[in-house]
Amino acid sequence: MARSINESGSSWVFPDGPLEEIASRCDVITAASLVGSCKFYHDSATQSVALPASQPFGMPCVLHTHQTEVPPAHNPFYRVHKFKQEGAQKDKQHDAKDRKGTLCQLTPLDRISSDAVIPDGGTGMWAGANGDWIALLGFPWNWELVNVYTGRRIPLPPISEFKSTPDKLVFESNDQHLQLLKIAICRVPTAASNYTSFSVLAIFNAAIAVLHCASSRWTVLDNQFLAYGYSDAIIHKGIVFAVTQTGEVYAWNQLSWGPLLISTAPIPPELDEQGRYNLGSWWLARSPDGSRLFLVHTWGVTDGRDYTGLVRILPAAATSEGRHGRTIRGYGKGLLGCEVYSMDTSQLMPPRPWRRIISLGSYSLFLGVNYPIIIPVEDGAEHDRPNMARSNSVYTSHHAVGLAYPPSPEICRFSLNSEDCTVGFQTNIRWTWRQVPLWLIPSFANARQWNLPSRHRLCRGGGDGHLEALTGDNINLIAAHLDVTYTVRLAACSRELYDMISKDEGKMHHWDEPCLLMPPPAYWFDEHWDVARTSRLHDTVYDLVPLDHPRRSVALPFMHDRKWLGANGDWIAAADHHEWCLVNVYTERHIPLPSLPDSKIDHSSFSYQPAYSFNWGPAIDLLKIVICQVPTKGGRYADYKLIALFDKTIFYLEGGGDWRMLEALTPAPDYPNYCDAIELRGHVFAVDETDGSTYFWDTANENLMLPFVIPPPVVDDQQYAWFLAPSADGKRLMIILTVNKIGIANAEVPPDIPYAANGLQLRQYPPVATYVFELDPLSTARAGDFLWRQVNSLSDHSLFLGLNYPIIANLKKRESKAPDGTLVPFMRKNCVYTAYRNIRYNQYPKILRCNLQPDEGETVGVISLPKDGWDSC
């Protein structure tokens, strides 16, 4: 499939913006992982002009909890990973370990929020971040560092001096309760150090602990001078600095001295007089060049702390406006404020004084639970309004994890320009939600680090100048978060990706099995067909549902304002209010089809459905478009063969020609009542639903003479549903008939049985008579003796009949019956599956599975779907 869509012969199949097109379908974290998977993609992304428009790479963003959860079937991290490589040991950290993902929201300051899927530890709580890494807290002592792009996990040892409690944020030491505030990732792990060397600080209200190696122990930094709880801490030039809630700064040199009180709070007189500094937060950061220590004080932002004896100042918003899906509020001067101080720490005994910073120049500072970020920010304007992202500003979020209530405002921008007021906004965080917002700059700048080998990770060689690309497992993670059509496009990009995705050892993609293409459950309607069809004309995202596996999403942008009329292979026949067309579901190649001849048929005067309602003597209805032969590159996409099947007439089309009517010349009003048609070996066959008679025409004859009529294989009073299909070798015609109505004698409806594998509802009905007959139509036509032969077994095959061209699939690895006699697994060999026969077919139930060799008393499996207003292909 993927190879068939690679039309250019190069490693990419998209003529315009291939990387942007794929990346735009991913969440931003997955897109960065894809871009960083090899040198070709990395270089393309680096030079891309359009990619930044689709993803906020390089932009400061707020990573925060999403209001919804990721269903396991759509969650790229909800899998059991097994690395397999001959002669190599399995990675103990990754092998057979559940890896769940968290669907988050990434909120750029000046863009609409977008989704982001990051690794999670199930019940893990975000406690810090730096660059590509976040710190996760589990219970008990299940702390780890996780790379948000590669999913690499580094467990952290417990602090032996502290005892855990039922609250994962509260610990005990010497009868003292310690509240964890954050994990400061001061130095991130790298491949060069084999991911074993890093520096992290565990910051508690009354203790600081430091760790430099995963295999070493935490060192608790004592402070006999501490009078108030800590607020923040960092490592600067090898020295640990910590600031308290009242602005006192302490320092430790782990090799020789500490603690050392280097300063008290440098409070401006106007704040000292009003006591407002007690309502603020204190932060530590480093200057842009890393030479100086910054001390930041923000005040006026309220939180859930108990301010005994002080009057809490509640800021009142002076202005507010809606931007990018959030409300930005402005606060007048004197309500909220920020001061930044700088110190040269090359001399600490005695320490040098703090110097107030009045401008950060082109830089801005981002503070929160994450390690402080200071980067240059470009000023800009959008529609004559200043952006939320500004230079010379300080941005703040939560100062600690586990706050009873979020700060108000939650995300603040303090400008060091005296003329600018403070602005802020809230995320969708609620006080009951466990995750604290983090500042994150999405980027693939560290892609080389992601792909460097280590003994903890199995990498494959890149070759030909490629980076050592992501492992096949990570490629699967990327593909899992793409919809199915773009997963196939990704597989078509190169032979290497094709091999990885097509093998799919995790069986997330079921390329070898027929699936149901249907609207997602959110769009199922129990209403009249026309009402439901109209309400869903603009839907472009569908579900692809394997019969025994989790559903996947399918993006079909070309289906906007269109209805599908038939399908075969990679192609769908669709119609809007103006034309019929063929569209490739993967490349979106569009082939318009000619109109039906006006001399033969009149278009309906109804404007709401001219594409499939016509007048021809009597009113006729289009049932489906049968794609008998798909267009191919070798035939310049003009070698297709189509049948427009109406209930009372048939039209036939070969690429490059015009529609030709196939006439039966039955006297009015006894027109044929066609229900199915196919093309086989240059002949068109159509079956009459009234009695099962089959008409066939020789398409090689320019004048399309009157058809032969093949009598039905069964003549009785039973009403059957008739289908046509080619045999597995394509030489014989098969006719399939099932009882048109199924049910129970007393009209009771069987209960729905939820099928957890794919979310569908199953039912079981009493046995239904299903027959398959075949003949060689050309040989029998020459002999003048049409004798149907009953087919009692399809062997390792099963038939899938419906709106699509008949599929006869080889299911050799499947069983023909369930070992325990139950309905599942639903996919079996030697069975006939029937779905919608045409676009107007609303028989209920919809999808049946009938075994050609049923055991005594074996029931019919049915997939239960809404009665009306529903499409499937």
PDB file of all heavy atoms in Angstrom, residues 327-353:
ATOM      1  N   THR A 327      -8.652  34.433  28.236  1.00  0.00           N
ATOM      2  CA  THR A 327      -8.905  35.813  28.644  1.00  0.00           C
ATOM      3  C   THR A 327      -7.648  36.390  29.262  1.00  0.00           C
ATOM      4  O   THR A 327      -7.143  35.887  30.271  1.00  0.00           O
ATOM      5  CB  THR A 327     -10.064  35.886  29.652  1.00  0.00           C
ATOM      6  OG1 THR A 327     -11.251  35.358  29.037  1.00  0.00           O
ATOM      7  CG2 THR A 327     -10.315  37.313  30.074  1.00  0.00           C
ATOM      8  N   ILE A 328      -7.128  37.446  28.665  1.00  0.00           N
ATOM      9  CA  ILE A 328      -5.943  38.139  29.167  1.00  0.00           C
ATOM     10  C   ILE A 328      -6.420  39.324  30.001  1.00  0.00           C
ATOM     11  O   ILE A 328      -7.183  40.172  29.519  1.00  0.00           O
ATOM     12  CB  ILE A 328      -5.045  38.625  28.013  1.00  0.00           C
ATOM     13  CG1 ILE A 328      -4.701  37.464  27.070  1.00  0.00           C
ATOM     14  CG2 ILE A 328      -3.783  39.269  28.564  1.00  0.00           C
ATOM     15  CD1 ILE A 328      -3.889  36.374  27.705  1.00  0.00           C
ATOM     16  N   ARG A 329      -5.977  39.379  31.251  1.00  0.00           N
ATOM     17  CA  ARG A 329      -6.387  40.466  32.145  1.00  0.00           C
ATOM     18  C   ARG A 329      -5.196  41.367  32.449  1.00  0.00           C
ATOM     19  O   ARG A 329      -4.085  40.888  32.654  1.00  0.00           O
ATOM     20  CB  ARG A 329      -6.963  39.908  33.445  1.00  0.00           C
ATOM     21  CG  ARG A 329      -8.312  39.205  33.257  1.00  0.00           C
ATOM     22  CD  ARG A 329      -8.876  38.725  34.580  1.00  0.00           C
ATOM     23  NE  ARG A 329     -10.264  38.288  34.415  1.00  0.00           N
ATOM     24  CZ  ARG A 329     -10.632  37.068  34.063  1.00  0.00           C
ATOM     25  NH1 ARG A 329      -9.698  36.155  33.837  1.00  0.00           N
ATOM     26  NH2 ARG A 329     -11.904  36.753  33.937  1.00  0.00           N
ATOM     27  N   GLY A 330      -5.444  42.671  32.457  1.00  0.00           N
ATOM     28  CA  GLY A 330      -4.425  43.644  32.811  1.00  0.00           C
ATOM     29  C   GLY A 330      -4.670  44.205  34.197  1.00  0.00           C
ATOM     30  O   GLY A 330      -5.820  44.428  34.588  1.00  0.00           O
ATOM     31  N   TYR A 331      -3.577  44.409  34.947  1.00  0.00           N
ATOM     32  CA  TYR A 331      -3.690  44.864  36.323  1.00  0.00           C
ATOM     33  C   TYR A 331      -2.970  46.204  36.463  1.00  0.00           C
ATOM     34  O   TYR A 331      -1.842  46.372  35.990  1.00  0.00           O
ATOM     35  CB  TYR A 331      -3.095  43.833  37.288  1.00  0.00           C
ATOM     36  CG  TYR A 331      -3.803  42.505  37.221  1.00  0.00           C
ATOM     37  CD1 TYR A 331      -3.435  41.544  36.281  1.00  0.00           C
ATOM     38  CD2 TYR A 331      -4.861  42.220  38.073  1.00  0.00           C
ATOM     39  CE1 TYR A 331      -4.093  40.334  36.197  1.00  0.00           C
ATOM     40  CE2 TYR A 331      -5.530  41.007  38.003  1.00  0.00           C
ATOM     41  CZ  TYR A 331      -5.145  40.070  37.064  1.00  0.00           C
ATOM     42  OH  TYR A 331      -5.808  38.876  36.993  1.00  0.00           O
ATOM     43  N   GLY A 332      -3.628  47.142  37.135  1.00  0.00           N
ATOM     44  CA  GLY A 332      -3.080  48.476  37.286  1.00  0.00           C
ATOM     45  C   GLY A 332      -1.825  48.499  38.137  1.00  0.00           C
ATOM     46  O   GLY A 332      -1.514  47.563  38.878  1.00  0.00           O
ATOM     47  N   LYS A 333      -1.084  49.578  38.026  1.00  0.00           N
ATOM     48  CA  LYS A 333       0.149  49.722  38.779  1.00  0.00           C
ATOM     49  C   LYS A 333      -0.141  49.730  40.274  1.00  0.00           C
ATOM     50  O   LYS A 333      -1.129  50.275  40.731  1.00  0.00           O
ATOM     51  CB  LYS A 333       0.864  51.008  38.366  1.00  0.00           C
ATOM     52  CG  LYS A 333       1.341  51.003  36.917  1.00  0.00           C
ATOM     53  CD  LYS A 333       2.045  52.300  36.573  1.00  0.00           C
ATOM     54  CE  LYS A 333       2.507  52.286  35.119  1.00  0.00           C
ATOM     55  NZ  LYS A 333       3.198  53.542  34.756  1.00  0.00           N
ATOM     56  N   GLY A 334       0.750  49.121  41.015  1.00  0.00           N
ATOM     57  CA  GLY A 334       0.602  49.066  42.460  1.00  0.00           C
ATOM     58  C   GLY A 334      -0.101  47.837  42.968  1.00  0.00           C
ATOM     59  O   GLY A 334      -0.089  47.566  44.160  1.00  0.00           O
ATOM     60  N   LEU A 335      -0.743  47.079  42.058  1.00  0.00           N
ATOM     61  CA  LEU A 335      -1.429  45.861  42.478  1.00  0.00           C
ATOM     62  C   LEU A 335      -0.503  44.649  42.435  1.00  0.00           C
ATOM     63  O   LEU A 335      -0.537  43.813  43.324  1.00  0.00           O
ATOM     64  CB  LEU A 335      -2.653  45.609  41.593  1.00  0.00           C
ATOM     65  CG  LEU A 335      -3.795  46.616  41.735  1.00  0.00           C
ATOM     66  CD1 LEU A 335      -4.888  46.319  40.735  1.00  0.00           C
ATOM     67  CD2 LEU A 335      -4.347  46.585  43.160  1.00  0.00           C
ATOM     68  N   LEU A 336       0.278  44.530  41.377  1.00  0.00           N
ATOM     69  CA  LEU A 336       1.237  43.447  41.238  1.00  0.00           C
ATOM     70  C   LEU A 336       2.572  44.055  40.820  1.00  0.00           C
ATOM     71  O   LEU A 336       2.612  45.071  40.124  1.00  0.00           O
ATOM     72  CB  LEU A 336       0.793  42.412  40.192  1.00  0.00           C
ATOM     73  CG  LEU A 336      -0.463  41.593  40.486  1.00  0.00           C
ATOM     74  CD1 LEU A 336      -1.696  42.292  39.960  1.00  0.00           C
ATOM     75  CD2 LEU A 336      -0.356  40.210  39.852  1.00  0.00           C
ATOM     76  N   GLY A 337       3.657  43.434  41.212  1.00  0.00           N
ATOM     77  CA  GLY A 337       4.951  43.981  40.855  1.00  0.00           C
ATOM     78  C   GLY A 337       6.048  42.946  40.883  1.00  0.00           C
ATOM     79  O   GLY A 337       5.857  41.806  41.330  1.00  0.00           O
ATOM     80  N   CYS A 338       7.211  43.328  40.357  1.00  0.00           N
ATOM     81  CA  CYS A 338       8.348  42.415  40.254  1.00  0.00           C
ATOM     82  C   CYS A 338       9.636  43.224  40.322  1.00  0.00           C
ATOM     83  O   CYS A 338       9.736  44.304  39.719  1.00  0.00           O
ATOM     84  CB  CYS A 338       8.273  41.627  38.941  1.00  0.00           C
ATOM     85  SG  CYS A 338       9.702  40.603  38.587  1.00  0.00           S
ATOM     86  N   GLU A 339      10.617  42.706  41.070  1.00  0.00           N
ATOM     87  CA  GLU A 339      11.955  43.288  41.099  1.00  0.00           C
ATOM     88  C   GLU A 339      12.962  42.190  40.795  1.00  0.00           C
ATOM     89  O   GLU A 339      12.786  41.036  41.216  1.00  0.00           O
ATOM     90  CB  GLU A 339      12.278  43.913  42.460  1.00  0.00           C
ATOM     91  CG  GLU A 339      11.440  45.110  42.824  1.00  0.00           C
ATOM     92  CD  GLU A 339      10.126  44.709  43.451  1.00  0.00           C
ATOM     93  OE1 GLU A 339      10.111  43.696  44.179  1.00  0.00           O
ATOM     94  OE2 GLU A 339       9.107  45.374  43.195  1.00  0.00           O
ATOM     95  N   VAL A 340      14.014  42.545  40.080  1.00  0.00           N
ATOM     96  CA  VAL A 340      15.084  41.608  39.729  1.00  0.00           C
ATOM     97  C   VAL A 340      16.394  42.188  40.251  1.00  0.00           C
ATOM     98  O   VAL A 340      16.696  43.378  40.021  1.00  0.00           O
ATOM     99  CB  VAL A 340      15.165  41.377  38.206  1.00  0.00           C
ATOM    100  CG1 VAL A 340      16.282  40.380  37.879  1.00  0.00           C
ATOM    101  CG2 VAL A 340      13.831  40.873  37.668  1.00  0.00           C
ATOM    102  N   TYR A 341      17.157  41.354  40.946  1.00  0.00           N
ATOM    103  CA  TYR A 341      18.438  41.761  41.509  1.00  0.00           C
ATOM    104  C   TYR A 341      19.527  40.829  40.985  1.00  0.00           C
ATOM    105  O   TYR A 341      19.269  39.665  40.649  1.00  0.00           O
ATOM    106  CB  TYR A 341      18.397  41.720  43.034  1.00  0.00           C
ATOM    107  CG  TYR A 341      17.335  42.609  43.633  1.00  0.00           C
ATOM    108  CD1 TYR A 341      16.048  42.130  43.856  1.00  0.00           C
ATOM    109  CD2 TYR A 341      17.614  43.928  43.950  1.00  0.00           C
ATOM    110  CE1 TYR A 341      15.064  42.940  44.392  1.00  0.00           C
ATOM    111  CE2 TYR A 341      16.636  44.754  44.487  1.00  0.00           C
ATOM    112  CZ  TYR A 341      15.358  44.252  44.704  1.00  0.00           C
ATOM    113  OH  TYR A 341      14.388  45.073  45.225  1.00  0.00           O
ATOM    114  N   SER A 342      20.729  41.336  40.939  1.00  0.00           N
ATOM    115  CA  SER A 342      21.855  40.577  40.406  1.00  0.00           C
ATOM    116  C   SER A 342      23.016  40.639  41.397  1.00  0.00           C
ATOM    117  O   SER A 342      23.237  41.670  42.055  1.00  0.00           O
ATOM    118  CB  SER A 342      22.276  41.154  39.051  1.00  0.00           C
ATOM    119  OG  SER A 342      23.477  40.571  38.605  1.00  0.00           O
ATOM    120  N   MET A 343      23.798  39.537  41.474  1.00  0.00           N
ATOM    121  CA  MET A 343      24.960  39.484  42.354  1.00  0.00           C
ATOM    122  C   MET A 343      26.090  38.752  41.660  1.00  0.00           C
ATOM    123  O   MET A 343      25.875  37.717  41.019  1.00  0.00           O
ATOM    124  CB  MET A 343      24.634  38.780  43.672  1.00  0.00           C
ATOM    125  CG  MET A 343      25.849  38.598  44.592  1.00  0.00           C
ATOM    126  SD  MET A 343      25.514  37.639  46.077  1.00  0.00           S
ATOM    127  CE  MET A 343      24.568  38.817  47.017  1.00  0.00           C
ATOM    128  N   ASP A 344      27.281  39.265  41.809  1.00  0.00           N
ATOM    129  CA  ASP A 344      28.490  38.589  41.363  1.00  0.00           C
ATOM    130  C   ASP A 344      28.914  37.643  42.483  1.00  0.00           C
ATOM    131  O   ASP A 344      29.338  38.083  43.558  1.00  0.00           O
ATOM    132  CB  ASP A 344      29.579  39.603  41.049  1.00  0.00           C
ATOM    133  CG  ASP A 344      30.863  38.955  40.546  1.00  0.00           C
ATOM    134  OD1 ASP A 344      30.915  37.708  40.498  1.00  0.00           O
ATOM    135  OD2 ASP A 344      31.805  39.689  40.204  1.00  0.00           O
ATOM    136  N   THR A 345      28.806  36.339  42.255  1.00  0.00           N
ATOM    137  CA  THR A 345      29.068  35.349  43.313  1.00  0.00           C
ATOM    138  C   THR A 345      30.506  34.847  43.307  1.00  0.00           C
ATOM    139  O   THR A 345      30.810  33.861  43.977  1.00  0.00           O
ATOM    140  CB  THR A 345      28.114  34.148  43.148  1.00  0.00           C
ATOM    141  OG1 THR A 345      28.329  33.560  41.859  1.00  0.00           O
ATOM    142  CG2 THR A 345      26.665  34.582  43.281  1.00  0.00           C
ATOM    143  N   SER A 346      31.364  35.508  42.553  1.00  0.00           N
ATOM    144  CA  SER A 346      32.771  35.079  42.583  1.00  0.00           C
ATOM    145  C   SER A 346      33.391  35.316  43.956  1.00  0.00           C
ATOM    146  O   SER A 346      34.418  34.729  44.302  1.00  0.00           O
ATOM    147  CB  SER A 346      33.572  35.821  41.504  1.00  0.00           C
ATOM    148  OG  SER A 346      33.517  37.227  41.710  1.00  0.00           O
ATOM    149  N   GLN A 347      32.779  36.194  44.759  1.00  0.00           N
ATOM    150  CA  GLN A 347      33.232  36.433  46.136  1.00  0.00           C
ATOM    151  C   GLN A 347      32.027  36.369  47.051  1.00  0.00           C
ATOM    152  O   GLN A 347      31.081  37.144  46.936  1.00  0.00           O
ATOM    153  CB  GLN A 347      33.910  37.799  46.249  1.00  0.00           C
ATOM    154  CG  GLN A 347      34.338  38.160  47.664  1.00  0.00           C
ATOM    155  CD  GLN A 347      34.960  39.527  47.753  1.00  0.00           C
ATOM    156  OE1 GLN A 347      35.733  39.919  46.873  1.00  0.00           O
ATOM    157  NE2 GLN A 347      34.619  40.282  48.806  1.00  0.00           N
ATOM    158  N   LEU A 348      32.027  35.414  47.990  1.00  0.00           N
ATOM    159  CA  LEU A 348      30.906  35.229  48.903  1.00  0.00           C
ATOM    160  C   LEU A 348      31.282  35.477  50.362  1.00  0.00           C
ATOM    161  O   LEU A 348      30.409  35.526  51.231  1.00  0.00           O
ATOM    162  CB  LEU A 348      30.335  33.815  48.754  1.00  0.00           C
ATOM    163  CG  LEU A 348      29.674  33.506  47.407  1.00  0.00           C
ATOM    164  CD1 LEU A 348      29.225  32.060  47.360  1.00  0.00           C
ATOM    165  CD2 LEU A 348      28.497  34.431  47.151  1.00  0.00           C
ATOM    166  N   MET A 349      32.573  35.584  50.651  1.00  0.00           N
ATOM    167  CA  MET A 349      33.006  35.827  52.029  1.00  0.00           C
ATOM    168  C   MET A 349      33.985  37.000  52.054  1.00  0.00           C
ATOM    169  O   MET A 349      35.191  36.782  51.827  1.00  0.00           O
ATOM    170  CB  MET A 349      33.635  34.554  52.616  1.00  0.00           C
ATOM    171  CG  MET A 349      32.625  33.436  52.823  1.00  0.00           C
ATOM    172  SD  MET A 349      33.310  31.961  53.595  1.00  0.00           S
ATOM    173  CE  MET A 349      34.287  31.289  52.272  1.00  0.00           C
ATOM    174  N   PRO A 350      33.532  38.231  52.293  1.00  0.00           N
ATOM    175  CA  PRO A 350      32.109  38.581  52.452  1.00  0.00           C
ATOM    176  C   PRO A 350      31.430  38.686  51.095  1.00  0.00           C
ATOM    177  O   PRO A 350      32.079  38.926  50.080  1.00  0.00           O
ATOM    178  CB  PRO A 350      32.169  39.943  53.146  1.00  0.00           C
ATOM    179  CG  PRO A 350      33.433  40.542  52.613  1.00  0.00           C
ATOM    180  CD  PRO A 350      34.415  39.407  52.483  1.00  0.00           C
ATOM    181  N   PRO A 351      30.098  38.518  51.054  1.00  0.00           N
ATOM    182  CA  PRO A 351      29.383  38.600  49.775  1.00  0.00           C
ATOM    183  C   PRO A 351      29.298  40.029  49.266  1.00  0.00           C
ATOM    184  O   PRO A 351      29.313  40.996  50.040  1.00  0.00           O
ATOM    185  CB  PRO A 351      28.001  38.048  50.117  1.00  0.00           C
ATOM    186  CG  PRO A 351      27.838  38.328  51.569  1.00  0.00           C
ATOM    187  CD  PRO A 351      29.203  38.192  52.181  1.00  0.00           C
ATOM    188  N   ARG A 352      29.198  40.138  47.971  1.00  0.00           N
ATOM    189  CA  ARG A 352      28.997  41.442  47.350  1.00  0.00           C
ATOM    190  C   ARG A 352      27.514  41.803  47.398  1.00  0.00           C
ATOM    191  O   ARG A 352      26.647  40.929  47.484  1.00  0.00           O
ATOM    192  CB  ARG A 352      29.499  41.426  45.914  1.00  0.00           C
ATOM    193  CG  ARG A 352      31.018  41.214  45.841  1.00  0.00           C
ATOM    194  CD  ARG A 352      31.509  41.151  44.414  1.00  0.00           C
ATOM    195  NE  ARG A 352      32.976  41.017  44.380  1.00  0.00           N
ATOM    196  CZ  ARG A 352      33.682  40.895  43.271  1.00  0.00           C
ATOM    197  NH1 ARG A 352      33.066  40.897  42.105  1.00  0.00           N
ATOM    198  NH2 ARG A 352      35.002  40.778  43.323  1.00  0.00           N
ATOM    199  N   PRO A 353      27.192  43.075  47.303  1.00  0.00           N
ATOM    200  CA  PRO A 353      25.778  43.488  47.449  1.00  0.00           C
ATOM    201  C   PRO A 353      24.956  43.146  46.203  1.00  0.00           C
ATOM    202  O   PRO A 353      25.488  42.980  45.105  1.00  0.00           O
ATOM    203  CB  PRO A 353      25.879  44.996  47.644  1.00  0.00           C
ATOM    204  CG  PRO A 353      27.139  45.375  46.937  1.00  0.00           C
ATOM    205  CD  PRO A 353      28.092  44.231  47.151  1.00  0.00           C
TER     206      PRO A 353
END
